[in-house]
Amino acid sequence: MLCVSPTTPGPCAARRPHRPSCTATTCIGSPRRRWRLARFQDSAAAAPPAGRLTRPPPPPSPSSSQPLPVPAPRTTAERLGSLREMRRVWWVCGLGYWVQGFRCFPWLALNFHLTRGLGLTPAALQLVQNAGNLPLVAKPLFGVLSDAVYVGRAHRLPYISIGALLQLMAWGTLAVIPVTGDTFPTQMACILIGNLGASVTEVVSDAVVTEFSRTQKAGVLQSYAFIVLAAGSLLGNLSGGYVLLRTQEPKTMFSAFSILLGLQLALSLSTKETLPSSHRNWNIRHVRTSLSDNLRKQFSNLRTAISEEQIFYPLMWIMTSFAVVPILSGTMFCFQTQHLKLDPSVIGLSKVVGQVMVLSLTVLYNKYLKKIPLRQLVAGVQTMYALAVLSDLVLVKQVNLMLGIPNEIHVLCFSALAEAIAQFKVLPFSVLLSSQCPPGCEGSLFAFFTSGLVFSAIVSGVFGVGLSSLIGVSGGDYTSFPLCILLQSLAALLPLGWISFLPEKWTADDKILKPR
């Protein structure tokens, strides 16, 4: 039994110096009352009137509509541990972007594998390239799943692991099956599965960047992702052409990429997810509602986000700007390798130069270009893209030889220029959508964005096949190829006709989109 006096310690306190003094004339013996007494003493500044102890409100149940209680402050060790886990998450995310860029390493070998090993024509090669991208169109589904469906208490890293596993299975199979016409359906299935896994990883990585970007300076994390992506592409193209030239064996490159995917899978499985939405959203959204309700709500949130004017119009512009331009990548690849007899190393190095351009443009954007209004910036980039397409016309007409420039030098300097500008054009729109994306809809919205870009690329690829077939460009006849390139350059100027759909005054430093 503990005795206390109203204001000052009494005789019982003097006899028991180890007992704490109190401020209410009462006798408190039960554990619950002692706990209330200690709570009362710790908050003496906000104490109730003497002689009256108030009972704290009970914590709300998971099914209650009341807000969850504020968690207790974390210790220094807990904060340091959380920081370490967050850094590991960024390692996984950064490696995902790097592997995504490094995919050009096996794809360069796959193009030679399909043309030399299976004897595909330029039109057939381009159809295979675009058909293989069909799984990327399903990205909105993966985005909704990563936003709404938790695996354990995590909803990002498990999907990165699934994507890495699918890619590992696909490229590992391509490394062991024989190169014959009978195995083409199996090889096509592997291409589809590999791109399916890549689409899952890309969606989740974009969602992680969007979640963290709200606490960082505008455009910093998007620039980081683009730099890591371009670095992976740079190394992939640089090493891909060299390895293919030395070994003449695409399967060696498939095996090497499979080992890299195995490392990515191991890192994602061994990392604990530490994200702003991981635990709190799991408690709030997934204890109270069923899986079907979560999915239905997520699809509804996605429709609501897309219907917003500040999101809908930029999405439509960027998608149509890619869709209306016919892509002639397969025809150009066959022209360079079969007609001009260029080495794989030259083509790989040209991609390296392109990624260096992307890196330079990304750094330039982060320093200076993001201060330019979006409509003005995109108009300039689109005009540069149309001019860069004409550089292929110089190569096809062999004007470079008249100027004393060898084909290898021209391909190294200008072949990947248009592709680099097109890749950079996505960055301002990524920053825009990150600033306008509603909380909890990061994966869904960016999955819809990237799948729309993939669908636009497929449409433009089909247009390219139709254009080359209509004009009469084939594996042995490239006399009409200059006309295709000229029409492609003119088509690149068409999106300037509806550029008024983009906001006129918005810059990357703006937090709220101004009406257009």
Side-chain angles (χ1 to χ4, degrees):
M1 187 75 64
L2 177 63
C3 300
V4 293
S5 62
T7 56
T8 58
C12 62
R15 291 192 299 267
R16 300 179 181 90
H18 62 282
R19 299 291 183 91
S21 61
C22 300
T23 58
T25 308
T26 183
C27 292
I28 303 175
S30 65
R32 181 173 180 81
R33 290 183 177 179
R34 287 197 299 268
W35 171 81
R36 288 164 52 190
L37 178 61
R39 182 183 179 92
F40 175 76
Q41 290 175 329
D42 291 338
S43 58
R52 182 180 178 184
L53 294 177
T54 58
R55 176 176 299 178
S61 61
S63 60
S64 174
S65 59
Q66 299 179 5
L68 295 176
V70 179
R74 295 183 301 173
T75 64
T76 303
E78 290 174 340
R79 289 196 297 269
L80 291 177
S82 177
L83 181 60
R84 285 193 296 267
E85 292 296 337
M86 188 179 298
R87 288 175 178 174
R88 285 182 62 88
V89 171
W90 270 110
W91 272 105
V92 174
C93 186
L95 180 62
Y97 278 109
W98 190 87
V99 172
Q100 178 185 342
F102 197 75
R103 290 178 65 229
C104 61
F105 178 83
W107 265 98
L108 178 63
L110 184 62
N111 288 333
F112 280 94
H113 178 72
L114 294 174
T115 54
R116 294 181 178 180
L118 300 179
L120 296 185
T121 62
L125 174 62
Q126 191 158 329
L127 284 176
V128 169
Q129 291 173 341
N130 289 278
N133 289 330
L134 286 176
L136 302 179
V137 181
K139 282 185 174 183
L141 175 61
F142 309 141
V144 170
L145 289 175
S146 68
D147 283 338
V149 180
Y150 278 53
V151 180
R153 290 180 178 266
H155 70 136
R156 301 300 186 200
L157 295 189
Y159 291 95
I160 292 182
S161 301
I162 293 173
L165 178 61
L166 291 175
Q167 294 182 79
L168 177 60
M169 294 169 54
W171 291 105
T173 303
L174 286 174
V176 297
I177 61 176
V179 185
T180 60
D182 297 337
T183 61
F184 177 74
T186 304
Q187 297 181 52
M188 193 65 203
C190 291
I191 294 174
L192 292 172
I193 294 174
N195 283 339
L196 176 64
S199 65
V200 175
T201 304
E202 292 169 12
V203 165
V204 178
S205 299
D206 290 340
V208 172
V209 169
T210 305
E211 283 192 38
F212 278 112
S213 63
R214 294 191 177 96
T215 62
Q216 303 293 329
K217 189 177 179 180
V220 173
L221 296 184
Q222 286 79 11
S223 299
Y224 160 78
F226 263 71
I227 289 175
V228 175
L229 179 67
S233 300
L234 191 151
L235 182 59
N237 287 304
L238 183 62
S239 58
Y242 177 80
V243 173
L244 190 59
L245 180 64
R246 291 294 183 181
T247 62
Q248 298 293 325
E249 183 54 58
K251 290 187 177 182
T252 303
M253 302 173 68
F254 300 158
S255 301
F257 189 64
S258 299
I259 296 174
L260 181 61
L261 291 171
L263 295 176
Q264 182 187 13
L265 177 61
L267 181 60
S268 61
L269 289 175
S270 61
T271 302
K272 179 182 177 182
E273 182 170 314
T274 305
L275 295 173
S277 62
S278 296
H279 302 292
R280 188 174 186 276
N281 284 358
W282 188 90
N283 290 327
I284 295 176
R285 296 165 55 190
H286 298 273
V287 172
R288 303 175 186 172
T289 58
S290 63
L291 177 60
S292 60
D293 292 337
N294 281 328
L295 292 176
R296 191 180 302 109
K297 181 179 179 181
Q298 202 63 41
F299 276 111
S300 177
N301 293 339
L302 177 60
R303 288 195 301 268
T304 302
I306 295 174
S307 63
E308 295 291 335
E309 180 180 347
Q310 63 267 26
I311 294 178
F312 177 78
Y313 286 114
L315 279 177
M316 291 301 102
W317 191 93
I318 186 68
M319 292 178 187
T320 53
S321 69
F322 282 109
V324 299
V325 182
I327 297 299
L328 306 170
S329 57
T331 305
M332 180 58 67
F333 179 82
C334 293
F335 176 79
Q336 293 175 349
T337 56
Q338 298 176 2
H339 185 74
L340 298 181
K341 307 296 182 182
L342 297 179
D343 290 335
S345 58
V346 176
I347 298 176
L349 287 175
S350 69
K351 302 293 184 181
V352 171
V353 174
Q355 294 307 314
V356 171
M357 295 179 186
V358 175
L359 282 171
S360 303
L361 289 173
T362 302
V363 174
L364 191 63
Y365 173 82
N366 200 35
K367 292 290 186 181
Y368 307 106
L369 298 182
K370 69 178 183 180
K371 300 177 183 178
I372 302 176
L374 180 65
R375 186 186 298 182
Q376 181 180 350
L377 175 63
V378 173
V381 171
Q382 190 69 25
T383 304
M384 290 177 56
Y385 175 70
L387 295 176
V389 170
L390 288 178
S391 64
D392 291 333
L393 184 62
V394 175
L395 179 66
V396 174
K397 296 291 291 185
Q398 295 290 272
V399 177
N400 56 295
L401 294 181
M402 302 177 187
L403 299 175
I405 302 175
N407 290 330
E408 292 79 4
I409 300 299
H410 186 275
V411 169
L412 283 175
C413 297
F414 300 103
S415 179
L417 179 60
E419 182 181 350
I421 295 176
Q423 183 177 345
F424 168 76
K425 187 174 67 174
V426 180
L427 177 58
F429 290 89
S430 298
V431 178
L432 171 64
L433 294 180
S434 294
S435 66
Q436 305 301 320
C437 180
C441 201
E442 298 88 359
S444 306
L445 180 59
F446 270 82
F448 183 85
F449 172 51
T450 53
S451 67
L453 295 181
V454 171
F455 181 76
S456 300
I458 293 176
V459 172
S460 65
V462 173
F463 282 169
V465 173
L467 179 63
S468 59
S469 301
L470 181 63
I471 294 181
V473 179
S474 61
D477 185 11
Y478 294 96
T479 54
S480 302
F481 197 23
L483 179 59
C484 289
I485 297 176
L486 181 61
L487 294 176
Q488 182 187 20
S489 179
L490 293 176
L493 295 175
L494 291 178
L496 296 177
W498 54 87
I499 200 170
S500 59
F501 283 99
L502 298 181
E504 183 178 4
K505 301 297 183 181
W506 184 88
T507 65
D509 294 330
D510 294 338
K511 294 184 178 180
I512 300 177
L513 182 63
K514 300 179 178 65
R516 65 185 185 91

